[in-house]
């Protein structure tokens, strides 16, 4: 499937769920790994805010791309953010969605004019 680069420089992205291992198989607890590097994958939850609209999304990040100093509710940067449409059949029902992946998740600053004031 096609991968679509997400231009996020004008967006505010806030961390809503701390990084946790991405589970490949819920029955066995197997952790998902990158198909190329074999590195363990993590998932984070963020709220993506742009032009007055917001979306809650889950983003997959390689374990080595998770920076120290991440705090819930704080702004983050997602370099190399891409979206990939997917579809599958589960229990005879067609399912589809968008999977998001980033090279890393790092602390960021609120854009000018946003954030807490003293």
């Amino acid at each position: 499937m096609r991968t679509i680069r997400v231009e996020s420089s004008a967006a505010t992205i806030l961390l809503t769920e701390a990084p946790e291992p991405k589970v490949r198989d819920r029955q066995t607890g197997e952790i998902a790994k990158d198909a190329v590097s074999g590195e363990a994958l993590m998932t984070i939850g963020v709220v993506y805010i742009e032009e007055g609209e917001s979306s809650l999304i889950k983003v997959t990040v390689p374990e080595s791309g998770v920076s120290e100093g991440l705090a819930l509710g704080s702004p983050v940067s997602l370099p190399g953010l891409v979206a990939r449409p997917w579809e599958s059949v589960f229990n005879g029902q067609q399912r589809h969605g968008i999977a998001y992946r980033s090279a890393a998740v790092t602390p960021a600053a609120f854009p000018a004019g946003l954030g807490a004031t003293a």
Side-chain angles (χ1 to χ4, degrees):
M1 286 245 167
R2 178 172 166 77
T3 300
I4 303 161
R5 280 181 272 156
V6 178
E7 171 53 53
S8 61
S9 62
T12 299
I13 305 170
L14 304 175
L15 187 67
T16 59
E17 293 178 31
E20 59 183 44
K22 182 174 183 170
V23 178
R24 180 172 190 242
D25 185 330
R26 291 184 186 147
Q27 291 181 337
T28 65
E30 178 185 0
I31 302 302
K33 305 231 184 251
D34 182 271
V36 176
S37 70
E39 182 176 3
L41 298 174
M42 307 290 282
T43 59
I44 60 165
V46 299
V47 62
Y48 185 99
I49 307 166
E50 187 173 23
E51 296 182 2
E53 298 204 11
S54 64
S55 298
L56 288 170
I57 61 172
K58 294 267 191 181
V59 181
T60 299
V61 180
E63 190 172 34
S64 65
V66 177
S67 295
E68 295 292 322
L70 298 174
L72 292 180
S74 295
V76 294
S77 176
L78 298 171
L81 182 63
V82 295
R84 184 175 49 91
W86 62 268
E87 61 182 46
S88 67
V89 177
F90 183 74
N91 287 338
Q93 292 187 336
Q94 184 89 15
R95 297 179 52 173
H96 56 85
I98 299 172
Y100 294 92
R101 182 144 178 187
S102 179
V105 56
T106 60
F110 281 107
L114 291 180
T117 57

